[in-house]
Amino acid sequence: MEEKTRVSGAEALLLSLIREKVDTIFGYPGGAIMPMYDKMYDKHDLLNHILVRHEQGAAHAAQAYAQVTGKPGVCFATSGPGATNLMTGITNANLDSIPVVFITAQVPSGLLGTDAFQETDMISLSMPVTKWNYQITSAEKIPEAVAKAFYFAKSGRPGPVLLDITKDAQIQEFDFHYKRIKSIRSYNPKPTLDKNQVQQALDMMSQSKKPLLLAGHGILIANARDELMEFVDKTKIPTAVTLLGKSVIDEEHPCFVGMLGMHGNYAPNKLTNEADLIIAAGMRFDDRVTGDISRYAPNAKIIHVDIDKAELNKNVKADLAIHADIKDFLQQIVPAQYYTCNSEWRQEFKRLNEMEKEKVIAPELYPENGHLRAGEVISKVSQLTKREAIVVTDVGQNQMMAARYYGFKNPNTLITSGGLGTMGFGLPAAVGAQVGKPDKTVVLFTGDGGFQMTAQELGTVVQYQLPVKIIIFNNNFLGMVRQWQNLFNDKRYAQTTMPTPDFPMMAKSFGIESKWVRERDQLDNTIEEMFSHEGPYLLEVSIEKEANVFPMIYPGKAVDEIVLHEDQ
């Protein structure tokens, strides 16, 4: 039996985190959380605390850390504004199914409900956007609550959890002992695969002449990439990915046919409505993927596999809804199936992808004149890093361009805000990714608008000497909003033009090497200089002001109405 040790609630929290193998915390101190920070002073050899410049930054950094390490992120904030500043990050992690344990401090339990200084009801606020939350008012409840928090965050469909700990609970002393949780009554995070459904899926595949595999983020979460590749190699089924599914398959694989969705590739969107069978693996039929859902995949039977039962038949009615861990499903179906997709169907994707290369990709990557294009910059970075970097993006045109043109090879190498579309996500997420993978090259592609939302995290980059390579695409516009104003509001650019500061000078004020590129002939040497520099580096690139991201599925249109350019 484990020996009990008498400690305060604050120390019990830290000991509990250590028992859960936590070694890194992102956070920001304040009044109500001071007991925990005081105890952390004695645990600096076991717990690495990253002091961000704003709590939202801590939330995004913890999410990115979780994504690149495969371990839950941990984030601390004090009561009141410190806690509420986490809300965007919590919501972001919830929509993207990322396990993060958020710990907020609260006023003393005796003052709850009195509108005390910096009192905020974080339980009510966070309930809709967390997998589980719990307020702790007694120190002795801390170990069990922490154990539950990690179990809920990691198991089943992962997600954020929140513990709100009153100040008196941090100070009280009790006899500490810790027991990790392996199950919770009435909570079944790992459904049992119905093997009859595997046979049904095989039967449906055997009758298909035009199958299409849609691979989502669930593949990465389930660590099922190897199984997916066995399935793809064996069946030769054309494989498309969602935005968060990027990196589930090497994009040079012959069966990879592109990205789905509003700014995805031409072929997989166009041919979704010709497919006679769709196998949706670990994805949730987001509206950005389906377009007009009433006209989505009218000719296809649909097999949908997901670990979250709530996603099945939610947006798209499945002919075969399989409630299972995608890894289990793939492990069962790969040895059993003998289906091979016909080459004529695969050629259809190739033909349409060639059309996209000619009309969209080549002009973006190899412009003969005019201003620099984001795509050509990203392509050069891809070549120089040999597609091995961890790519972090902000949200907007920079995000779509990075997803389209980097050419992902390795799993979990695109860190981006998917469901929530959070501008300002990029820089703090790059911090978290670099902390999680200090030996990897981390590249941030961001826009001039999103960068300014969380630019203060340059201070964090410098404090911990994180060698993040930051590339700001500056068009002095909120680019994606301007694109919609261009296409749908007769170029009435309402509040989307944006003068920007001298970004390289800003970086230098933090002690970060930087440069500003305006001309094409400056680009190659400067990118090489950036990656040969050992520390952090900021590169501002002036790009074509009114360039649009294409292809595009216009709002309200069906996926096969995707257009290659605005005149189509």
Side-chain angles (χ1 to χ4, degrees):
M1 177 175 288
E2 183 181 10
E3 185 178 346
K4 295 180 179 179
T5 307
R6 193 156 188 84
V7 299
S8 69
E11 186 165 8
L13 173 71
L14 302 181
L15 291 172
S16 300
L17 294 178
I18 292 168
R19 299 295 173 90
E20 292 290 344
K21 303 187 185 306
V22 172
D23 56 18
T24 302
I25 297 167
F26 300 87
Y28 202 99
I33 203 169
M34 281 183 65
M36 287 193 269
Y37 274 89
D38 182 63
K39 292 299 179 184
M40 198 184 300
Y41 190 80
D42 299 324
K43 297 274 189 297
H44 61 86
D45 54 334
L46 298 172
L47 293 170
N48 177 33
H49 183 273
I50 304 297
L51 176 63
V52 295
R53 298 303 185 265
H54 189 281
E55 290 86 354
Q56 182 182 345
H60 294 324
Q63 168 174 341
Y65 177 89
Q67 288 180 266
V68 300
T69 64
K71 303 187 296 184
V74 178
C75 181
F76 277 13
T78 194
S79 63
T84 57
N85 283 342
L86 297 178
M87 287 305 301
T88 298
I90 296 172
T91 309
N92 200 92
N94 186 56
L95 277 168
D96 290 351
S97 305
I98 309 299
V100 182
V101 177
F102 291 94
I103 294 170
T104 54
Q106 186 54 274
V107 301
S109 59
L111 293 178
L112 287 172
T114 68
D115 292 334
F117 179 66
Q118 293 191 333
E119 180 190 6
T120 305
D121 183 356
M122 281 303 294
I123 297 302
S124 297
L125 279 174
S126 65
M127 186 173 292
V129 292
T130 52
K131 195 172 173 185
W132 182 71
N133 65 11
Y134 185 70
Q135 186 172 73
I136 301 171
T137 57
S138 170
E140 62 188 12
K141 292 186 177 179
I142 287 175
E144 183 182 2
V146 171
K148 281 185 178 177
F150 277 84
Y151 184 68
F152 280 126
K154 293 187 294 184
S155 58
R157 178 179 179 172
V161 298
L162 183 139
L163 296 176
D164 191 48
I165 307 177
T166 60
K167 192 167 186 178
D168 51 325
Q170 299 172 48
I171 297 169
Q172 296 164 0
E173 291 191 346
F174 71 109
D175 293 332
F176 172 82
H177 74 282
Y178 194 79
K179 183 179 180 182
R180 296 183 79 174
I181 286 178
K182 297 180 180 177
S183 66
I184 292 176
R185 192 175 65 177
S186 76
Y187 172 61
N188 179 23
K190 189 173 174 61
T192 302
L193 174 64
D194 182 346
K195 294 184 179 177
N196 291 326
Q197 290 190 312
V198 175
Q199 185 57 52
Q200 291 176 49
L202 288 167
D203 292 343
M204 292 170 71
M205 288 171 61
S206 69
Q207 296 168 22
S208 172
K209 297 185 184 310
K210 294 182 175 182
L212 177 60
L213 173 61
L214 313 184
H217 189 203
I219 301 288
L220 296 170
I221 292 171
N223 192 26
R225 197 205 199 212
D226 290 346
E227 290 80 1
L228 180 84
M229 292 317 306
E230 277 191 74
F231 180 76
V232 172
D233 287 339
K234 199 167 180 181
T235 62
K236 314 296 184 194
I237 293 178
T239 303
V241 300
T242 64
L243 174 63
L244 292 185
K246 278 271 172 180
S247 82
V248 303
I249 179 172
D250 185 338
E251 296 187 8
E252 292 187 354
H253 192 284
C255 290
F256 174 72
V257 295
M259 182 173 74
L260 300 160
M262 180 172 279
H263 291 292
N265 293 101
Y266 194 56
N269 283 298
K270 197 80 178 172
L271 294 177
T272 290
N273 281 8
E274 287 191 24
D276 63 9
L277 177 68
I278 284 178
I279 304 170
M283 54 88 72
R284 59 187 178 91
F285 291 110
D286 175 82
D287 64 294
R288 282 292 196 268
V289 164
T290 63
D292 179 0
I293 205 163
S294 68
R295 292 185 287 159
Y296 181 76
N299 302 312
K301 291 186 179 301
I302 292 176
I303 301 170
H304 190 184
V305 188
D306 203 282
I307 198 167
D308 186 352
K309 196 172 185 179
E311 293 296 344
L312 300 173
N313 298 315
K314 185 177 83 174
N315 296 327
V316 171
K317 175 73 174 174
D319 296 278
L320 180 58
I322 301 177
H323 182 210
D325 186 322
I326 187 65
K327 191 179 185 82
D328 291 346
F329 173 77
L330 291 169
Q331 286 176 338
Q332 288 290 324
I333 201 168
V334 167
Q337 66 82 29
Y338 295 94
Y339 173 87
T340 303
C341 179
N342 68 77
S343 60
E344 291 80 7
W345 174 235
R346 294 199 303 273
Q347 285 300 315
E348 282 295 298
F349 289 88
K350 187 174 181 181
R351 180 179 65 81
L352 294 181
N353 276 332
E354 288 299 324
M355 192 182 298
E356 181 182 343
K357 283 180 184 174
E358 178 189 346
K359 302 287 187 183
V360 178
I361 296 175
E364 182 67 31
L365 300 191
Y366 314 109
E368 295 178 355
N369 48 47
H371 294 290
L372 283 159
R373 314 279 299 194
E376 67 178 305
V377 178
I378 293 164
S379 179
K380 289 181 185 296
V381 171
S382 174
Q383 293 168 28
L384 200 143
T385 58
K386 300 178 180 177
R387 303 194 296 134
E388 296 281 356
I390 294 173
V391 172
V392 183
T393 80
D394 211 272
V395 163
Q397 289 182 318
N398 64 87
Q399 177 187 39
M400 292 298 116
M401 286 296 191
R404 287 179 52 79
Y405 294 115
Y406 185 74
F408 293 88
K409 179 166 67 175
N410 301 317
N412 296 308
T413 49
L414 173 62
I415 309 300
T416 193
S417 172
L420 194 61
T422 305
M423 283 182 68
F425 175 83
L427 183 57
V431 167
Q434 191 72 80
V435 171
K437 291 290 182 184
D439 298 329
K440 289 285 187 181
T441 298
V442 173
V443 182
L444 166 63
F445 295 111
T446 183
D448 50 301
F451 181 77
Q452 291 185 79
M453 286 189 168
T454 50
Q456 71 276 1
E457 300 305 336
L458 288 176
T460 313
V461 169
V462 170
Q463 181 169 350
Y464 299 96
Q465 278 301 296
L466 303 172
V468 176
K469 311 307 179 193
I470 303 163
I471 299 176
I472 302 174
F473 295 121
N474 191 351
N475 54 11
N476 293 110
F477 268 118
L478 298 177
M480 188 60 85
V481 184
R482 183 212 53 77
Q483 176 169 337
W484 282 50
Q485 291 172 331
N486 176 354
L487 296 173
F488 312 122
N489 294 91
D490 298 323
K491 294 190 175 184
R492 291 157 55 85
Y493 294 154
Q495 301 301 317
T496 45
T497 56
M498 181 177 282
T500 55
D502 185 326
F503 289 119
M505 187 176 291
M506 177 193 290
K508 285 185 170 64
S509 74
F510 281 91
I512 295 175
E513 288 292 319
S514 58
K515 193 160 279 187
W516 183 3
V517 167
R518 301 176 180 83
E519 304 296 336
R520 186 161 286 111
D521 60 7
Q522 302 171 326
L523 187 61
D524 287 354
N525 288 342
T526 309
I527 290 178
E528 288 179 13
E529 175 186 310
M530 176 173 66
F531 284 102
S532 63
H533 181 70
E534 292 187 355
Y537 195 105
L538 185 148
L539 172 61
E540 177 183 354
V541 183
S542 296
I543 59 170
E544 175 64 46
K545 289 177 71 69
E546 297 188 54
N548 291 337
V549 184
F550 278 97
M552 183 175 183
I553 303 168
Y554 289 170
K557 297 295 184 181
V559 288
D560 61 350
E561 294 174 319
I562 186 171
V563 296
L564 290 170
H565 50 79
E566 60 187 279
D567 298 326
Q568 186 175 347

